[in-house]
Amino acid sequence: MSIQSIWLVPALPLIGFLINGLFRNSLSKSLTGIIGSGTILLSFVVSLLIFGQVRQPGFQGEVVTLFDFITVGKLSIPFAFQVDQLSTLFLLIITGVGFLIHLYSTSYMHEEAAPHFARYFAYLNLFVFSMLLLVLGANFIILFIGWEGVGLCSYLLIGYWFKNLDYGNAAKKAFIMNRIGDLGFLIAIFLMIRQFGSVEFGEVFAHASSAKVGVLTAITMLLFVGATGKSAQIPLYTWLPDAMAGPTPVSALIHAATMVTAGIYMIARSHVLYDLTPVTQSVVAVIGLLTALLAATIALKQNDIKKVLAYSTVSQLGYMFLGLGVGAYTGAVFHVMTHAFFKALLFLGAGSVIHAMGGEQDMRRMGGLRKWMPVTNLTFLVGCVAIAGIPPFSGFFSKDEILAAAYAKNPVYYGVGLFTALLTAFYMFRLYATTFSGGFRGTQDQEHHLHESPSAITIPLIVLAILATVAGFLGIPEAIAPDAHVLGKYLAPVIGGEAHGGVEVSKGTELGLMALAAVLALVVSVWAWVRFKSRPDLAEPTGFGKVLANKWYVDELYNAVIVKPLDLLAQLLVFIEKNIIDGIVNGVGRLVQYGSRQLRLLQSGQVGGYVLLMVVGILVLFLVELFVKK
Amino acid sequence: MGITQVLFWFLSILALLSAILVVISKNPVHSVLWLIMVFVAISGHYILLDAQFLAIVNLIVYAGAIMVLFLFVFMLMNLNAETEPQKNRWLKIAGVVAGGALLLVLVAALKKADLKLQVAEMNRGDIGLIHTLGVTLFKDYVVPFEISSVLFLSAMVGVVVIGKKE
Amino acid sequence: MIPVLLIVIPLVTGLVGFLIKNEGNARGWSLLSSIVTLIVALWGLSLAKTSPLLAANVEWLPDLGSRFAVGLDGLSKILVLLTAVCFPLIFIATWRDQYKKAWNFYALMLLSQAGLIGVFVATDALLFYFFWELALIPVYFLCSQWGGERRIQATFKFFIYTFVGSLLMLVGIIWLYWQTADHSFSMESFYALRTKLSGADQTWVFWLLFVAFAIKMPIWPLHTWQPETYEQSPTATTMVLSAIMVKMGLFGVIRWLVPVVPVGSWAWGDTVSGACIIGMVYASLVAIKQDDLKRLIAYSSIAHVGLMCLAIFATTESGLQGVMIQLFNHGINILGMWIVVDLIERQFGTRKISELGGLAQKAPALAILLVVVALANVALPLTNAFVGEFLLFSGVFTSTATQYSVVFTVVAALTIILGAVYTLNMIQRVFYGNTNSLTEKGVDIKMNEKLVLGAIVVLIIVIGVYPKPVLAMTKETTDFLLSKMNYKL
Amino acid sequence: MPINYYIFLAVALFCIGVAGVLTRRNAIIIFMCIELMLNAVNLLLVAFSKMHYHALSATAPHAGIDGQLFVFFIMVVAAAEVSVGLAVIVMMYRNTHSIDVNFLNRLKH
Amino acid sequence: MNSILLSAIWGIVMMFSGVFTQNKTIIRYTAIVGLVALLAGNCADMIGYHVAIDVHKMLNYDEFGMLGNAIAFVSTLLLVLVSGRDMERVGHNLAEYFALIFFVLCGVAIVTSFNTLLMLFLGIEIISIPLYILTGSDKRNLKSNEAALKYFLMGSFSTGLMLLGIALLYGASQNGTFFIDDLWTGGPAVATRPMFMAGLLLLLVSMGFKVSAAPFHFWTPDVYDGAPTVFTSFMATIVKVSIFIGFVRLFEDGFGESRDRWQIFVAIITAATLFIGNITAVFQQSVKRMLAYSSIAQAGFMLLALLALNAVSRQGMLLYAAVYGVATIGIFAVLIRMKDYTFEGFNGLAKKQPVLAATLTIFLLSLAGIPLTGGFFAKYYMLAAVVESGHFMWLVIFAVLCAAVSVYYYFRVIQAMYFKDGEGSTETEPGVGFKGMLVVLAAVVVVLGVWPQVLLGLLAKFPYTW
């Protein structure tokens, strides 16, 4: 298949969106499902075909221009797609995982009425379309279009059950927080326009080295602000856990596998700029690390199954930023990929659980589910192992690559990163043990309903479980087997050789670190499993645990520092508007009226008074004549 | 000081005093009489200024006809006695002050005019004579003269309109 | 020829409209008229720019140096197109609105259309002023006659407010007229002034004109007439007011202010920009607190227009192009918003956000269409407003007219966020959640309304995806105007 | 006599008239004060007439005559005005039995 | 000269018509014929056919005055056509009223073309004296009486001021003359300059009084309010604008060269007039009284012509006279027919009398100076005239702000008619003729608003000098 037909990839989901959206009232649910999933599948197939071409050695990135989007003066922004190794990889992840989630959704959402079902699939298709646009864009504007598009779809999907106002609020929060980030992105684009006169990747990257470091730092920092919004990093991460209000497949698709990785993609894409700005790199690394740690600590004390996964997502995203910050772009992308698999798996598994529990999300009311849901149990366990970083599951490899690079940059990074990884292992197995082990703690009614999910749900689980298990082998580190890093080699034309920030660690150290991480992860996992299997964490947290359970009170902080003052300001402005600005305007009117009332008193009706005033007038004129110089 | 000057001063003072009395007399009939006195004094000035025709006309028309008309009206209304209740003293004071101030500013404005050398010549010239005036009036001023008849016509019509009983 | 037709058709049909003493017929007649106008406008747009049909110039007041000179250039075209497109849409969308003595209503609407088109096509300053006022009069009557409870005071305030501005503008125009070499009101003579007038003169005469435009747009702090008027006007008139009339102010600045007194504009650019930016943030914040849908949209409009004005004073190509395209986009988008408001008000008899809720259940089609329009209102990519706002912001950011371009952009860009806040709030509180006693009887929109909103949505998307034809239409005019605007002493 | 004397005399008479108009409330007396003002002007005009005669008679034998003729016209007009004015006052009196201008305040503000 | 003669003669004809017939229609038609004749005479004059009388340069017939006359005559004709019937209801002396009106027109013809202060004085008096009578013509109405007496007393007072001014000017003139173009020949000697200025100021004051410029305007509201409405209409329009034309003529021909010395006073008076007229009008409850204040406000605008004194202001003065006259006549014509003169009295008029309401709206818009009506160009000219002179920009801006205030009170009437519910109605059902006349008036206003060239072109077409 020709590279030129790349437009099919986003076009197919768009068609799916249009059909499902416009004819949602007349389509049957099965047809909707077929259209929704089928278009993504087709898209995946096309992506595979394209991938077939791209993976040929020596393939250089190609730009496929569809039409002129905006042309003003010297600034020309074509609607063009960038086809290269990086974007193709993402295409595969998005369409592949996307398809699985669509498939899963046909079953998971089956209880919805047909129009809403169709609406759901339309949104999902639109989301895939936006995400594809994001990764395919050959310039920052197209990227930005997809960027905002996924934000929108996230908004629509989180608020899918629009009757519930809390969900609506969560959706709104997601959109607005994303917008804050987008603003940074947008300003970065303007800076690029001013600096380079272009927003095309090729142009910008080619001239990057000639720009002043200050400007580049500003651009990269602003881009990173955008990334913090989209990828839920400090300080804009709070929307992501709230976004769990959406249907679970949405959480899987958007808030785990794809959308939130947009920030990683974008920074990886513009790594040329980041390589030139060490300051930003450090910031990215530190923010990533802090986010990873913060989210991990919060996840320790969450009881909502999806919330744990959400914070784990934030934490993992922090990892990826750490990778980006230390220059391990391949590692970051690698982690994106593996994370896509196991996090989608975990979310879908959680969805399966929730489905079986009749909508219950609180782990404290679960327990011992493996008895009823063997497939879910097993696949979920695979996911947990993978995310915990236990070899040879995929998470181990990708996480290790990042940690190794972090160590090379700064051992402190490594230390914190490792600690976070252990926390991850801990809370994941806490989750697993509480949910699947021990005895059932829910109601009779719920117990009665417990059942393994249908195949439309389990098949994606199985597929993802397999992927989560084996994907790690795409990126076997140099230390273990030279030249076995398939992914690294594949991405090399775009990202360049594996740049560990210039500092290479010795093979021995790397192996040592690897072993340390693996062993510790294993120990922590087992410990957590054993601990929570018998004594699930049911009590209300106290002390520091309460702080964690309440997410470090960050939401409250934001509320007090930003939302409330803004609200007060708005109220103040309303007051000013009414009383001062409009007050002045009305005051002028009233003044005229008042003046009128007073002035007409001059008209006393008495001739004597009139003549007197006339004489006074004459006097004034004469006095002016006498005393005022002209 | 020649006789002319003496007469000038006498007439001037007479005019001013009479004028003031016109204003301050409580009895309207007295006001009328003092006004006639002013007119007589002014006519005297006219004679001093060799404006004999105007002096005569002034006496006949003003002091004679017009003031008599005023007197008639007073008689008609039976208002020969004091009829103004003294209210609104402030307006009165303001009136006097305003009048005085007007005098002041007018004098101030006109004093700046350097007219020391200009004199109103007396005892010479024939322009005040009825002959000279008549010739000019019916030659150069015939148009305004005729036009003033329109004024009289309209005054006549007006008085008829106003005075006619309905 | 075509501009004359564009004025004459609504004018004559409007006058005739007074005589059709039948509601249905009057409605049909006005729709017909507006469609004919649209066709003529499209015909005009399709002609090559050299076509003699695009201009007319006849003797009008030789003693005053004023001619009946009209013409269609890129700027006029886009605004004429907006006017011509909006009116049929308004008529169809409000088809079911009931008016007392509807024939008068429709006739006045057409007259206002004539005035508006006149403003946009006039190439003679006096003629421009003439139409400027003419457009106002029918609107005044429309608002006062068919508006809400406090319509009389509100529209009166509106009228006097804008009238003050217009009169100051008139003084400015007269002054400029006496400065022209040939004592003429023609655009060419006015444009020639920029090299003739001293910097000091330009600096003060700038304000005479700008105040009028600022009131019309409106620019903070001269905006307070707007929410009140929008609130009190009948919705069809509000549509005209906000979709088209506010563009008069922007148009005025682009055509009659900055190119005429560029030095004055440069001198005051920062001041004006500051006001625009304060207004944008301010209006956005105030909008958050509004409970009346009309007021909310009114404040949102203030924010949007402030951005456009800001971009004009940036005097960059992308900024100006952005203004040009945004003139159209904003008109279309806000029209869509008003239509939704009108539908809601007609059905539930209220515009109070707090009294509504859960409409999405009852009127899914309306909800979806509204969401698209609202997204355009917050300038989401692939909607038309994104193209506009992107160009506007990038124009401001890359401006060399001010040394504060970065600050301006950043502060102004806050409205991107705030805009999302109030728009989404509105959607949520009106459409999401559960129905209440008032809204549970709601029904979805009818075919004609779907058609209109659908058309608007199509326009939003098409221009959002493929803005090139529109940009191409205005490019030459933009370059021309920029060459005048960028004059320095 | 120096013209200044006449000017000041006339202005003084005029201002006395003005003061009368301002202070008195009897309509007829007000009217009389106005007549006083007119006469002051007449005097002034005659004085100016002789002043111009003095200055210009060498070249124009009838210089200054215009002033005296103007006085004539003023008298004519004054006479007409008096007739009308008195008619109005009488009409007023017939209706209200008062000629106090202070009672004239049905029309105000 | 034709117009002076004809108006005087026709005044006498009217005077006697009352003797021969009691039929009011005949009297009215006689008057109409007279006005047409007057107009024809004036037109004949304009194209050069005139009675040859040597006026010794005391009158100066130029196109400015002629056109001013024409406007006054046409306005009067329109007034009689539209409100003639209403005169009959004032009192029994219809013939005399018409006679007085013709005499006023005679005065108008003098005032528009005087060349000496004597003629100005006579003209003003010929205008004033009949007006005192007309004001008091509703004899049994105390308001009318009161108005007449006030008008008379104050008018006489202002005559006194005018005469003192004339006397001082005469004294200041170098060769003892009343000819206005000789008053400043070569500039009076420095010595007499203060006297000249004092005289000028007094003339300014007294002329200001006649055109009701503040602070000499106080008679206006009371007199306009008290006078029979139809004569108020006459006074507020024809008389006022004619005196304005005289005013402009006096200050342009007489004092034009010394304008630097007095423009500031005109500016002060203009500002005061605009301010007081507009502001005070805002609070009025009676439409008639509001119109009185509005006429003061309009005078303020016309004073701008005096300030500017250039070709533009001359043309503008005429246009203003025509437009303002026609519109005001129209408004008063409707007002006369109203039951209730308050604003409330107009409530809901549009429903009962759509034609009246619509035409009235056009007149009011014109007074407010909204485009498409003649009032716009009238105001435009005034502003343009001052702006051209380059000075007093502050006054121009002040004037437009005041114009904005004027919208307030004019639109109150429109609001009452259209947007308020009420029982506003006319005393009797207006006839077709009346409505037709109103429509004609409205059409004139609109034509002057769209294409004022019809009138402005006339100026160029009659290059006529005496």
Side-chain angles (χ1 to χ4, degrees), chain A residues 258-552:
Chain A
T258 51
M259 167 180 160
V260 291
T261 59
I264 324 293
Y265 167 78
M266 188 261 287
I267 293 183
R269 173 60 79 191
S270 35
H271 68 96
V272 177
L273 304 177
Y274 283 84
D275 282 340
L276 291 168
T277 51
V279 180
T280 321
Q281 280 194 313
S282 310
V283 172
V284 172
V286 170
I287 293 279
L289 200 57
L290 284 178
T291 312
L293 183 63
L294 183 82
T297 56
I298 294 173
L300 292 175
K301 279 291 177 189
Q302 297 303 311
N303 289 319
D304 183 316
I305 185 167
K306 284 176 76 179
K307 282 272 163 73
V308 179
L309 291 178
Y311 281 105
S312 120
T313 304
V314 176
S315 175
Q316 296 302 313
L317 290 167
Y319 254 108
M320 298 175 207
F321 278 102
L322 173 63
L324 294 173
V326 299
Y329 302 111
T330 311
V333 174
F334 187 21
H335 198 57
V336 165
M337 186 177 80
T338 58
H339 180 255
F341 298 146
F342 58 68
K343 190 48 68 59
L345 168 62
L346 287 167
F347 265 114
L348 293 183
S352 176
V353 168
I354 294 165
H355 197 243
M357 291 287 296
E360 180 60 66
Q361 300 194 5
D362 193 331
M363 299 191 304
R364 287 170 296 188
R365 304 221 181 83
M366 299 176 182
L369 292 183
R370 69 176 160 187
K371 210 172 16 169
W372 290 278
M373 312 178 73
V375 181
T376 308
N377 170 42
L378 200 65
T379 50
F380 202 91
L381 183 60
V382 171
C384 287
V385 174
I387 197 173
I390 296 167
F393 292 87
S394 57
F396 167 74
F397 293 101
S398 54
K399 207 182 276 186
D400 180 69
E401 194 169 335
I402 292 171
L403 283 176
Y407 183 83
K409 191 89 170 186
N410 187 342
V412 178
Y413 290 173
Y414 174 81
V416 180
L418 182 61
F419 177 64
T420 311
L422 299 180
L423 289 178
T424 309
F426 181 83
Y427 65 70
M428 282 316 296
F429 275 91
R430 170 178 175 267
L431 167 68
Y432 177 77
T434 319
T435 312
F436 288 96
S437 307
F440 187 69
R441 294 179 298 273
T443 60
Q444 284 281 312
D445 208 29
Q446 283 171 324
E447 192 172 348
H448 203 69
H449 273 107
L450 285 175
H451 58 87
E452 181 55 281
S453 302
S455 55
I457 289 184
T458 50
I459 290 173
L461 290 179
I462 295 164
V463 174
L464 285 168
I466 294 167
L467 285 170
T469 314
V470 303
F473 299 114
L474 287 175
I476 299 166
E478 290 288 297
I480 295 174
D483 263 0
H485 204 304
V486 180
L487 189 69
K489 275 195 283 183
Y490 168 72
L491 288 174
V494 185
I495 294 183
E498 189 62 0
H500 278 209
V503 193
E504 281 289 343
V505 278
S506 74
K507 204 170 169 182
T509 322
E510 195 175 339
L511 279 175
L513 293 176
M514 237 185 261
L516 178 69
V519 169
L520 282 174
L522 192 63
V523 170
V524 171
S525 304
V526 172
W527 174 52
W529 188 359
V530 173
R531 182 179 177 283
F532 291 107
K533 194 165 109 182
S534 45
R535 284 187 294 114
D537 188 9
L538 298 178
E540 277 301 310
T542 52
F544 189 57
K546 194 173 170 191
V547 175
L548 292 184
N550 283 309
K551 309 148 194 169
W552 295 93

